[in-house]
Amino acid sequence: MYDFGIKNPTSIDDVKAALGDAEDGQFLAGGQTLIPVLKQRLAMPSDLISLSRVDGLSGITAGGDSISIKAMTRHAEVAANADIKSAIPALAKLAGGIGDPHVRNRGTIGGSVANNDPAADYPAAVLGLGATVITNEREIDADNFFTGMFDTALNEGELITEISFPIPEAVGYIKFPNPATRYALVGVMVAKFGNTVRVAVTGAGPCVFRVPEMEQALTASFSPDSIKDGLVPADDLNNDIHASREYRAHLIGVLARRAVAEANG
Amino acid sequence: MATYVARNGIGENQRRVEDVRFLTGHGKYIDDVNIENQAYAMVLRSPEAHADIKSIDVSEAAALDGVLLIVTGDDWKSTGYDPIPTKSAVRTFIDGSDMKVPPHHALAIDRVRYVGQPVALVVAETQDICRDAMELIEVDYESLPSVTHQSEAIKEGAPQIWDIAPGNVCLDFELGDEEVQKKAFADADHVITLNMVNNRVTATPMEPRGAVADFDPETGKFTLWNSSQNIHANRDTIADVVLKIGKENLHHIAPDVGGGFGGKNGVYPEPILILHAAKELKRAVKWINDRSESFLSDTHGRDQVSKVQIALDNDGTFRGLRTESVGNLGAFCGTVGSFTPTGGSSRTQGGPFKFDGIYYTAIAPFTNTCPLDPYRGAGRPEGSYHIDRIIDYAAAQLGMDPIELRRKNLIPPEALPMKSPMGLDIDCGNFPEVFEETIRISDREGYAKRVEASEAKGMKRGFGVCMYLECTGGGPKEEAKVTFLDNGKVELSVGTASTGMGHETVHAQLLAGHLGLAMEDIVFRQSDTDATEIGGGHGGSRGLEVGGSAVTQTSRQIIEVGKKIAAHRFDVDADKVEFEDGRFHVPGTNHTMTIRDAIDSQNDPDNLPDDLEPGCMNISSVFERGIISIPNGGHACEVEVDPETGTIKVDGYWVVDDFGTIVNEMLASGQVMGGIAQGLGQALMEDIYYDESGQLVTGSLMDYALPRADDMPRMVIAYYEDAPTEKNLLGVKGAGEAGCVGAPPAIVNAVCDALKEYGVHHIDMPLTPEKVWKAIRDAKATG
């Protein structure tokens, strides 16, 4: 690590002030990505602005047709939450499959979504469920939030405060874990809302994406058989030592079918 | 499972005495060793696979506040230190000429030859200052063409790594009678050929390597605490050969060591570098490798490509076996180095099966990769993989049953003792009985139902076996020293080295059992050149065979001296005294004396006969084993394969091992389970991968996949104990490596069995989901 300062604001206003005061400040949520990056000297922020003590940034609230998760809520809390388990079981399962117990007890939903790692699980849930990302400045639709590899619609200094997930009629999430990291080599979330179906894929490309061809097919008939092979071309997918792009393309079809089967119970 | 009768500690399931310390954070590992006013060292490593060092500018780094010393290759050259030698037991080419040994200096001099090679040592007040300084060192590299794969390295026109090694060949090798093998091939009905890869892996001990060096200018003596498995031999090499300071001036100690698996056997550059720095600075110097550096700089294992051919008759009788291997050495000869792919992989060729003739050849080339050295098994896993894969492959090609093929060809017990075609002295064992027991315990009756259940889920189930032959023993001599302390404690020092496998328990168990002492009174010392004169360390599954035998021998000598003390007290001849359960007694009398009483008497001359000196029960003895032991065993494995994704789940595992006498079943089973985990890792996921430019792609745990608890099946482990060896005092055959000898072929055989309906009969390790999926897809495409 290089030397850095640390600030512990307790309100959103203080967060903004702290960021403004810092020469090159960086938010610290659960630190499950940032701390390893710092340890490897791959980043050199002047100050870390810890969000752990900011009032009102943690907790889960269930409403009639949506569930709202505050940004600093840990993965383990999402995995164990009774409302989420009953209303959006695939979301609880997704959170319970992130990393290991250490990661799940430190990592936060806001940190994960803001980081937008191409292999992270949460982006699949946010996009697949059509969630709304709420910041200290505005509300952003999931479809407009994830803009590229490690890139989002967040402005400089803009802070996610909570994420609101609409409750679907049926939902499934299947992840094929990278054997080394257990990040998603490919992860597919399928969610059905009345006549609308959303399919979101993480791990396979540079950024989480939807698959309109699958969504149309599933809207016509919400069954695994509706998903034909080859709906996602391999060309733009990730290609690395863990999986070729053609294998990832194949997995998307397999996992999507299994996610539909899971959604159908 | 055998019923144990505890005798002299043998057969007691003594629980591990070191675990409370380890599990409560009270272990003393290398980073727990801190010397007052110590400085910190880090190593600047080469980012290039092959390059000339045009210049190194350390001026900015040296000027940094807190930087104490920077050593470059030029500095190292001027010290006149010698290179690190290799101790390969095979040293000549087939034609009799000498193997090629390039100079392995602790720092690169003028040229780097692999990514991660030490280029400079930086010593500073803190590790962070070391890091800052390393960023300021400017090295001007001029890249050279590089080669990382051994098959490429021996091709004409490949980049040449050492002038002394034309064609990059360090050594070639043959064993067996080629004429006999060729005749067997000519006579046989079939010859089946399979090319196979034994993938490159790394040991990834939980504790990375590290060391602390200190120098006393008053006495000229050095102390080196080192996370090493081989304290005595490496002291001799470092002190006498490399630094030339005299081994009497180097006190070499390993504190608790968190895993080694062979990767901490060799002599590495870094401890040598910090000994030099400690002398220069007259300060203690600490160096700890981080995980990423470990991937770059811990010697790797395996990495052989082989062409294996088996000749057999229509009735399944094996006739001949021929294996041609090319084993990667990396950029230098490691400490054992070129022995592993040559002699090390040759001895167990053919396993426990009858052959008319076996012939093994190997070529060991240099490449622009980290040096390779022993990794758990070192050659025997390769040999076992050759024979147990070719049997299953041949069975598939010829429509035979792989279990029946093994059954038909196992060496029968009445043929023992025998000398194998590879020159191994197989003294005892019952291979058919061990094999049948393996099949018996593996729940074959329930298999059809499990297949049905798998099919119902769309899964493919397979069953595979292997019948391995091992050879163990490592360094042939070991010392065990017992000192009875005034406070009633008993110090037991042994020259073996536990890296977590439980010597502290089992050696104490043997001593306590022999002498009738309490376990809690025994204080165990190991891995310290002051504790024992000699020490063979850890390697070759030798802990019990040689170390345990030394403890037994010393115990027996103590008892003999005790008998003389008792005889003196009771005024009888020593041969009238017997010893049992911690008591000396004279049969037919009421004369008894406890071992404690004898110990308490040993320091007073009045209590001793004329031929004994005070302290006479404090005894050290050196045991020397005979020829290497031959453990053997059967592994059976069930897998479930998801044909849509290629994912493999190992769903059942059964082992019967003939390790001779089992001294402590819990410790033995711990070894077997750990070995299976490493074998499973190699078979399914572990892979050290260099790209074409020589960069290590799997340089962290983000890219190098290790098995986790949930990857492991339930394991049923049983022992065949009816054939103890006479090669050592305990009848043991060595348990440490067998698990990872048997697991890779058993697992791959099971996967190929699951995929046989697709016509998939071989996939090279590691069997990643993608490889399995592709194999199925390609097989379907070709019909």
Side-chain angles (χ1 to χ4, degrees), chain A residues 10-219:
Chain A
T10 54
S11 71
I12 299 281
D13 284 346
D14 288 351
V15 168
K16 288 176 82 167
L19 189 64
D21 291 346
E23 186 188 325
D24 178 21
Q26 182 144 17
F27 294 140
L28 172 67
Q32 296 307 291
T33 300
L34 181 55
I35 299 297
V37 164
L38 291 177
K39 283 170 79 172
Q40 291 184 63
R41 294 191 155 199
L42 295 172
M44 201 167 32
S46 65
D47 296 270
L48 295 185
I49 294 141
S50 171
L51 305 174
S52 293
R53 297 183 197 169
V54 178
D55 275 347
L57 269 191
S58 187
I60 298 165
T61 315
D65 53 6
S66 69
I67 290 184
S68 179
I69 305 174
K70 293 282 181 58
M72 286 298 288
T73 308
R74 315 280 164 175
H75 309 326
E77 297 171 62
V78 175
N81 184 271
D83 292 326
I84 297 176
K85 278 161 90 170
S86 103
I88 320 179
L91 179 59
K93 174 183 149 188
L94 175 151
I98 298 173
D100 54 35
H102 298 280
V103 171
R104 292 195 287 274
N105 282 307
R106 293 293 310 162
T108 67
I109 189 169
S112 172
V113 171
N115 188 46
N116 192 21
D117 188 305
D121 292 282
Y122 266 131
V126 172
L127 189 63
L129 288 161
T132 303
V133 180
I134 299 159
T135 76
N136 56 338
E137 296 175 9
R138 57 188 167 141
E139 298 190 354
I140 309 171
D141 282 347
D143 286 320
N144 298 322
F145 184 82
F146 301 103
T147 52
M149 184 157 39
F150 294 107
D151 203 17
T152 67
L154 290 170
N155 297 320
E156 192 67 33
E158 187 175 7
L159 183 69
I160 297 175
T161 55
E162 66 182 277
I163 298 172
S164 175
F165 292 92
I167 295 172
E169 194 178 303
V171 64
Y173 178 68
I174 303 289
K175 162 183 177 171
F176 190 94
N178 176 319
T181 61
R182 306 239 168 147
Y183 270 86
L185 196 69
V186 177
V188 180
M189 179 160 275
V190 176
K192 183 174 189 299
F193 299 86
N195 286 329
T196 310
V197 176
R198 296 176 68 99
V199 177
V201 178
T202 190
C207 179
V208 63
F209 61 89
R210 288 174 65 183
V211 188
E213 296 80 3
M214 286 186 185
E215 293 176 351
Q216 284 155 21
L218 289 170
T219 302

Side-chain angles (χ1 to χ4, degrees), chain A residues 2 41 180 242 244 247 250, chain B residues 132 135 644-645 703 708 770:
Chain A
Y2 296 107
R41 294 191 155 199
H242 301 294
S244 66
Y247 182 53
H250 165 75
Chain B
D132 292 341
E135 290 178 6
E644 274 198 309
T645 62
D703 288 309
R708 306 184 193 198
E770 175 162 8

